[in-house]
Amino acid sequence: MLTQIPVVSAHGATATGGLAPGHGVLLVLGGIGLLGGTILCKRINRISPTVALSGVFVGLVVTALGAILFEALSPEVTYSAASMPFPRSWYFPLAVSVGFLIMVSSLVVGRIRWPTRPRYTFLGILMGLWIAYPYLFPGHTSDSHPLGYAIVLGTPILVGYIIWKDVGSVLSAVLRDPIARRFGVGVGIIVALFFISVTGYLSFFPEGGLPHEQSIVVLPAIYQLVTWPTLEIYLPHIPLFVAVSPGQVIVVGLLSTLIGLNAAFIARHWRVEERAGMTQSTAGAGAIVGSCTCGCCGPLVAKVAVLTAGPSIAAPLYWVFVDTASPLSALFIIASIILFAGSLVYSVEAARQPGQSAVIAPAD
C-alpha cells in the first residue's frame, strides 16, 4: 500500500504561509516560459547574448524555486514493502551484474575508443564500484569499510584530474571572462541548493515530530555508500532544518561544480558570438537547462508520478531508483558525473576544432 499525508496537517497553515503545491507549479511554468522566451529572443537577435545570459539565469532561479516549493508542499508519500515490484533478494544479483557490466564495458570501450587515455577506463571502473560495493561485503561491514570511503573520496580526485588534464588550459581561459565566471558560479550554486533541498537536507518547511526548541546534533548517517558524521541543525523560529555531512559535500560539490563549469563554457561561447557579431545555434542553452533539470532526484520524480499517475507507477520508481537499499539508486549519481564531465570534455574538444578557437581565446 502507498499512503499520503497532507503537508498542511504536518506543517500547519502558519508554517506554509498559505502556500500550496500549485504555487510551485506556477513558478516552474513561469521559469520555463522565461527561459524559452529568452532563448528565442536571443535566437532572432532581439537581445544580446550577454542580456540573454541574465534572462537564462533568472529563469533557472525561478524554475528551481518552483520545483523546491512544489516538492516541499506536496503530500508526503510512504511506501510499504507490499508495493515492491520484485523481492529484495533480487538486489544482490542486480547490483553485482550491473556493477561488473559497467566495469567490463569501461575496459572494452576504453581500450578501443581511448587507448591513450586510461583515466577514462579507471573512471568507468570506479563508477561500477559505486553500484557493486554495498554487496561486496556481508552485513553492515560495508557501512564503514575503507574501500567505500576510498571510492567516494577518490571520485572527485579522478574527475578533477581528468578535467585538469583534458580541458584545464581551456577552462582557465574561459574563467578569465568575468561574466562567464559569474554565470557558472551562479548556476552551480542554484544546482547545489536545489539538490540538497529536494533530497531533504535543507528545508524551510520541517515535517511534524521535530522538537519545538533549537537543536544542533551530530549523528552518524549513511549517505553515499558509507557512514558519515552528519551535522543536523533545526531552528524552529525561522523555521529551518539543514543537515551537512562530508559525503554530501563531496557529491553535491562535485555535481554542482561540473554543471557550473559547463554553464561557464556555454556563457563564454555566447559572449564570443556577441563580440564577433555571429548568430549560432542555441543548443548550448538546452545543455544548461538539461543539466539543472538532471538535478531532480528520484524522490521528486516519484512524487510527481504519484500525484499525476497514481501509486501504481510511483511505487516501482521508488523501489528501483530511490530506495537506498536498491543498487540502482546510485545510477543517478554516476550517470550525472559521467554526463557532466563528458559533456565538458566534448564541448572543449569541439571548440578546439578549426573555426571555433575564438571560444577559448583570452577574455576581454
Side-chain angles (χ1 to χ4, degrees), residues 169-244:
S169 59
V170 174
L171 283 179
S172 178
V174 168
L175 294 177
R176 284 198 292 269
D177 184 333
I179 293 179
R181 183 175 63 249
R182 288 195 293 268
F183 183 76
V185 171
V187 170
I189 292 174
I190 293 173
V191 172
L193 292 175
F194 177 62
F195 187 78
I196 63 176
S197 295
V198 299
T199 50
Y201 284 88
L202 174 66
S203 176
F204 291 95
F205 304 99
E207 298 181 2
L210 291 175
H212 296 289
E213 64 276 358
Q214 177 177 308
S215 174
I216 301 177
V217 296
V218 176
L219 301 171
I222 298 177
Y223 181 78
Q224 303 307 330
L225 303 185
V226 289
T227 301
W228 305 90
T230 303
L231 173 65
E232 295 186 357
I233 301 175
Y234 175 55
L235 305 177
H237 56 281
I238 295 182
L240 169 67
F241 172 81
V242 60
V244 182

Side-chain angles (χ1 to χ4, degrees), residues 78-99:
T78 58
Y79 305 84
S80 68
S83 63
M84 290 189 68
F86 49 77
R88 279 186 181 270
S89 59
W90 288 24
Y91 280 172
F92 175 78
L94 192 61
V96 174
S97 59
V98 172

Side-chain angles (χ1 to χ4, degrees), residues 80-172:
S80 68
S83 63
M84 290 189 68
F86 49 77
R88 279 186 181 270
S89 59
W90 288 24
Y91 280 172
F92 175 78
L94 192 61
V96 174
S97 59
V98 172
F100 279 93
L101 177 62
I102 292 175
M103 289 186 277
V104 172
S105 300
S106 300
L107 285 170
V108 175
V109 175
R111 179 66 177 174
I112 296 175
R113 182 68 177 83
W114 297 287
T116 60
R117 300 183 180 183
R119 50 191 176 274
Y120 294 171
T121 298
F122 292 146
L123 180 60
I125 293 174
L126 193 61
M127 296 299 95
L129 283 173
W130 273 84
I131 301 294
Y133 166 79
Y135 294 88
L136 296 179
F137 303 94
H140 296 285
T141 306
S142 63
D143 295 350
S144 58
H145 196 279
L147 178 60
Y149 291 99
I151 293 173
V152 178
L153 295 173
T155 298
I157 296 175
L158 181 54
V159 172
Y161 173 75
I162 291 174
I163 299 300
W164 171 77
K165 186 74 173 179
D166 294 344
V167 301
S169 59
V170 174
L171 283 179
S172 178

